[in-house]
Amino acid sequence: MDASTEIRLAGVSYAFGDHRVLNQLDLHIPAGAIVALLGPSGCGKSTLLRLLAGLTQPADGTISFGSRLVAKAGWAMAPESRDIGMVFQDYALWPHMTVEENVAFPLKMRRVAHDERESRVRRALERVGLGEFSKRKPAGLSGGQQQRVALARAIVAEPRVLLFDEPLSNLDSELRETLCRDMALLLRQLAITAVYVTHDRREAEILADHIVHLSAGRVDAIRSVTPSSGEIA
Ligand SMILES: Nc1ncnc2c1ncn2[C@@H]1O[C@H](COP(=O)(O)OP(=O)(O)OP(=O)(O)O)[C@@H](O)[C@H]1O
Ligand SMILES: [Mg+2]
């Protein structure tokens, strides 16, 4: 597996027209850390994630993954060049493709050979507990299972950074907790740097090593979570 990477944002600003969303934001995420981004609705969590993904570019500041600059004022490296995996609230699976075709897609894009592709898809599906479901279409799966497929697709190419935007918020609370604990375990096994946006403090505490609070377009506070107890240090 590729080494994970540290993420550094320095003086990052972003605005929609006159509405300033991020204001000279600084944040350092150590390699392999799992960070939850918490904050009130509209505080800029998804905007920050989209900047990390390369779906939009900052008005000011820089974003680096390790020694690689991935964005600066008015410029952003394309998402497919960043070595990232993403999971969103709405799963975003391709309905006409089977589970294994969905998961294989990032490997096809990277021109990974057929045999290697098959074994990596199988491994990713087993990791998320969906080994038996490879031939199904997404419509034949529950919401939780669909989100596991999206997770398998995000990790199959062994990215250096994983980005999550409220991936569990469409699921009912019991399922949310189960999947959250499974994801926490998986993220620790993979040791990939992960940024996880959520409204749910409990989810953040289960998953993250560090909880970053955003407010008024900046980092308001960072708290470390003790892994053994799940309590905030
Ligand atoms: N396409 C857009 N055009 C104009 N303003 C936008 C657009 N998208 C988001 N905004 C505004 O930017 C701010 C930050 O939005 P963002 O989606 O990053 O918030 P968020 O913290 O993810 O909120 P939520 O928790 O509700 O998902 C909000 O005030 C929002 O209204
Ligand atoms: Mg959001």
Side-chain angles (χ1 to χ4, degrees), residues 35 43 54 69 104 128 156 183 195 199 212:
V35 162
C43 75
L69 183 73
V128 300
V156 74
M183 282 175 45
V195 183
H199 274 111
V212 172

Side-chain angles (χ1 to χ4, degrees), residues 16 19 21 39-48 165-166 197 199:
F16 289 103
H19 177 45
V21 178
S41 182
C43 75
K45 302 183 296 297
S46 295
T47 303
L48 181 50
D165 197 349
E166 309 213 32
V197 167
H199 274 111

Side-chain angles (χ1 to χ4, degrees), residues 55-78:
L55 298 170
T56 189
Q57 45 190 251
D60 207 357
T62 58
I63 305 174
S64 310
F65 289 179
S67 57
R68 273 194 314 170
L69 183 73
V70 298
K72 60 183 181 180
W75 175 81
M77 180 187 284

